[in-house]
Amino acid sequence: MKILVTGGAGYIGSHTLIELYAAGHTAVVVDNLYNSSKESLRRVAHIVGVDEIPFYEADIRDKNKLESVFSDHQFDCCIHFAGLKAVGESVAKPLEYYENNMNGTFVLLDAMRRHGCKNIIFSSSATVYGDPAEIPITEECPKGHCTNPYGQTKSMLEEVLKDVQTADTEWNVVLLRYFNPIGAHSSGTIGENPNGIPNNLMPYITQVAIGKRKELGIFGNDYDTPDGTGVRDYIHVVDLAKAHVCALKAISRKCGLGIYNIGTGHGYSVLDVVNAFIKVNGVNVPYKIQPRRPGDIATCYCNPAKAQAELGWKAQYGIEDMCRDSWNWQKNNPNGYQD
Ligand code: NAD
Ligand code: UDP
């Protein structure tokens, strides 16, 4: 299939491109490079053995540019990664987040429908469950209250996409609710490349390990969890990337609407992750317990059985693989794609 990949220069998009090519698909990337660099696409091309990944530097909100992309190509499906994703920043800049994520998706969906491409895989998030009503979380678990504008955009866009599919059943819509992606491609040449101070746990750990930051702050050790620190379902980004290839197969079988948790089903605490990282990589990660981070929940991990049953997808990598590959990327690229 020929796939439009919005946000394909980013962390998850770049890893997904590799799995798409490995499965025999081709891709065209549209990205405004707000949170990424063209260098990731150059490295992906090297890994998959092509001269270049077709790329448009464009904002998906730009109707005219998007129109020219759709005029140049007939797509079978869109994998829609493009969006702003920093939780804290979304609280400070709600309008920018709503405008980019909502409006960007509206412009994209309109172009898709006008050009007869009615298949989409959307990057949703475990955040739509809010403080989950049940653990492990199944897809039947009711959506919860999102405490930040970023989460609201994911939850609202899920509803928009459901409505689009209900109104016109020619659409196939797959909503993938990602849990906590970490890790990097085994080559160590692509990975997560946060701007400024990392918000997420793993990039913070790797930056402490490489000496860029003094110590990790652990946000709370008084949660109702085995060691008091927050528990999450970390998933290797390569496993996550492969889930998109499985979702494409479902789309080719005309799946209608599909909603899937994409996680491993295992919960690890912050201390579990820090200790696994130290053990696997033989490096030191000094840390200090700090107050809880506002909006955080104690425990979040999923039951991924539906994705296995219906998509034939199951995570293969464990926490030690994730820690090894995150460090391999960081130590080979201390300054990310700027090296
Ligand atoms: P990322 O920031 O690395 O990638 C997103 C890409 O979209 C970037 O390259 C950015 O430049 C691009 N982009 C943003 N707005 C755009 C616009 N208007 N037009 C064109 N390009 C635009 O993020 P990621 O971690 O790869 O996440 C990909 C998707 O998955 C996002 O939608 C994110 O919300 C979602 N998601 C991520 C996580 C996570 O922990 N990384 C978890 C759940 C869901
Ligand atoms: N966390 C932490 N220190 C950090 C970043 C995160 O202790 O510098 C904790 C956070 O409180 C949560 C877990 O690590 O329990 C995962 O946080 P992350 O921001 O990576 O993902 P989230 O699940 O919040 O989306």
Side-chain angles (χ1 to χ4, degrees):
M1 288 201 227
K2 187 172 191 177
I3 318 294
L4 168 62
V5 183
T6 73
Y11 173 48
I12 303 171
S14 55
H15 286 83
T16 301
L17 288 169
I18 293 171
E19 301 308 322
L20 289 176
Y21 276 82
H25 302 293
T26 57
V28 173
V29 170
V30 174
D31 198 305
N32 63 2
L33 303 181
Y34 176 81
N35 195 36
S36 52
S37 89
K38 253 196 284 195
E39 179 61 14
S40 67
L41 296 177
R42 204 187 61 73
R43 296 186 187 187
V44 167
H46 180 75
I47 292 168
V48 302
V50 297
D51 288 342
E52 59 176 8
I53 305 293
F55 171 60
Y56 292 81
E57 184 174 342
D59 193 302
I60 57 167
R61 292 168 295 175
D62 184 333
K63 280 187 186 173
N64 294 334
K65 277 202 183 152
L66 208 55
E67 189 58 33
S68 70
V69 176
F70 276 90
S71 305
D72 291 349
H73 306 274
Q74 182 63 49
F75 296 113
D76 299 299
C77 183
C78 171
I79 305 183
H80 179 30
F81 295 110
L84 302 178
K85 64 158 186 177
V87 171
E89 188 184 57
S90 80
V91 175
K93 297 180 174 175
L95 277 180
E96 283 78 1
Y97 269 67
Y98 286 118
E99 211 281 318
N100 189 76
N101 293 4
M102 303 301 299
N103 194 28
T105 305
F106 297 156
V107 173
L108 174 68
L109 290 173
D110 183 46
M112 289 176 69
R113 124 177 116 169
R114 282 186 294 100
H115 289 269
C117 173
K118 296 185 177 179
N119 297 317
I120 187 165
I121 299 171
F122 176 63
S123 300
S124 189
S125 167
T127 193
V128 301
Y129 294 111
D131 196 350
E134 58 185 55
I135 294 283
I137 303 169
T138 67
E139 292 80 356
E140 277 67 53
C141 183
K143 282 167 62 168
H145 172 67
C146 297
T147 52
N148 58 80
Y150 164 71
Q152 299 272 30
T153 67
K154 290 292 169 195
S155 187
M156 290 193 292
L157 286 170
E158 283 198 352
E159 300 310 310
V160 169
L161 285 159
K162 285 185 201 170
D163 289 345
V164 166
Q165 200 276 332
T166 304
D168 177 355
T169 52
E170 280 181 19
W171 279 85
N172 295 293
V173 169
V174 178
L175 309 178
L176 298 182
R177 293 177 176 161
Y178 309 158
F179 280 68
N180 288 57
I182 58 173
H185 187 257
S186 59
S187 63
T189 59
I190 63 167
E192 190 169 9
N193 187 31
N195 280 329
I197 302 171
N199 298 300
N200 298 110
L201 179 63
M202 184 52 84
Y204 210 108
I205 290 177
T206 60
Q207 291 199 6
V208 170
I210 204 140
K212 271 190 168 177
R213 311 210 174 265
K214 193 165 113 284
E215 64 190 6
L216 171 73
I218 294 185
F219 300 144
N221 67 349
D222 57 353
Y223 285 104
D224 183 15
T225 61
D227 64 22
T229 65
V231 168
R232 297 290 183 273
D233 189 335
Y234 297 94
I235 174 166
H236 198 296
V237 67
V238 171
D239 275 329
L240 177 60
K242 288 178 176 169
H244 297 79
V245 177
C246 295
L248 280 179
K249 288 192 196 130
I251 281 187
S252 65
R253 296 191 298 267
K254 307 229 169 298
C255 60
L257 173 70
I259 304 177
Y260 300 99
N261 288 336
I262 303 296
T264 64
H266 299 288
Y268 290 100
S269 73
V270 178
L271 281 171
D272 288 336
V273 177
V274 171
N275 290 330
F277 189 93
I278 292 170
K279 181 175 152 228
V280 175
N281 298 314
V283 290
N284 196 19
V285 181
Y287 63 81
K288 192 166 155 189
I289 304 298
Q290 289 183 358
R292 291 182 179 195
R293 182 171 66 177
D296 269 358
I297 55 176
T299 303
C300 180
Y301 62 91
C302 77
N303 176 343
K306 189 179 175 201
Q308 186 172 6
E310 295 185 15
L311 300 180
W313 173 88
K314 189 174 189 289
Q316 304 294 326
Y317 294 106
I319 192 72
E320 298 199 342
D321 303 308
M322 302 179 214
C323 290
R324 181 199 59 223
D325 291 339
S326 291
W327 178 232
N328 189 35
W329 152 251
Q330 177 76 79
K331 74 170 188 260
N332 287 319
N333 305 271
N335 299 309
Y337 290 113
Q338 279 157 18
D339 288 319

